[in-house]
Amino acid sequence: MPQSSSTQSALSFNNPAGLYDPQPNGYSHVAIAQGPVRTVYIAGQGGEDAHGVLATGFAAQVRQALTNLQTALAAAGARPGDVAKLTVLIVDHTEERLGVFGQALKALWADAPLPACTLIPVPRLALDGMLFEIDATAVLAAP
């Protein structure tokens, strides 16, 4: 079972035999947190910049949302490799959009194991023109 890139990780990830390989789509099937741990919940991050301006287009919103996610994780002392679970909401979901998201996620995670992830196609998000939102649960070793 590969370990997270954190030196004192409380997380491990597994893609069991008998299930398809989810890594091309940017996630793992199973995330296991072993305690004592500190759990960090990151609210849904969309494609808005620090001034609230929404990026134009799906790919740009994905990039901005992942930048926002990194900022929120860093504020809690976490990194992408500490994320156990993601929930992704995509307006007008297609396999092409899945590919855009999966590539961006794999680039951000680099060599860290990919977290468990649920993608939910939705008809609309909170703001007009918003096409993508992602939230995260990170697990860190307790101080």
Side-chain angles (χ1 to χ4, degrees):
M1 209 178 308
Q3 294 293 315
S4 169
S5 61
S6 299
T7 56
Q8 295 183 339
S9 180
L11 283 173
S12 60
F13 299 87
N14 190 350
N15 290 309
L19 298 178
Y20 83 97
D21 181 6
Q23 293 181 9
N25 292 328
Y27 70 99
S28 294
H29 283 295
V30 180
I32 303 164
Q34 303 200 7
V37 299
R38 181 169 61 103
T39 306
V40 177
Y41 300 94
I42 306 296
Q45 300 298 307
E48 310 89 6
D49 65 16
H51 303 287
V53 177
L54 189 62
T56 302
F58 181 77
Q61 287 189 27
V62 169
R63 284 190 302 274
Q64 182 63 54
L66 292 178
T67 296
N68 295 346
L69 178 61
Q70 282 183 280
T71 300
L73 287 168
R79 299 178 298 188
D82 297 314
V83 174
K85 174 76 167 73
L86 296 169
T87 302
V88 175
L89 306 173
I90 296 179
V91 173
D92 298 327
H93 173 64
T94 63
E95 285 193 38
E96 179 181 343
R97 287 187 171 185
L98 174 61
V100 169
F101 164 64
Q103 296 254 344
L105 194 70
K106 287 188 291 182
L108 175 59
W109 258 251
D111 293 331
L114 295 164
C117 182
T118 299
L119 187 153
I120 304 169
V122 295
R124 175 181 165 86
L125 290 166
L127 304 174
D128 289 341
M130 191 174 180
L131 302 171
F132 180 86
E133 187 172 359
I134 185 168
D135 73 28
T137 303
V139 178
L140 303 163

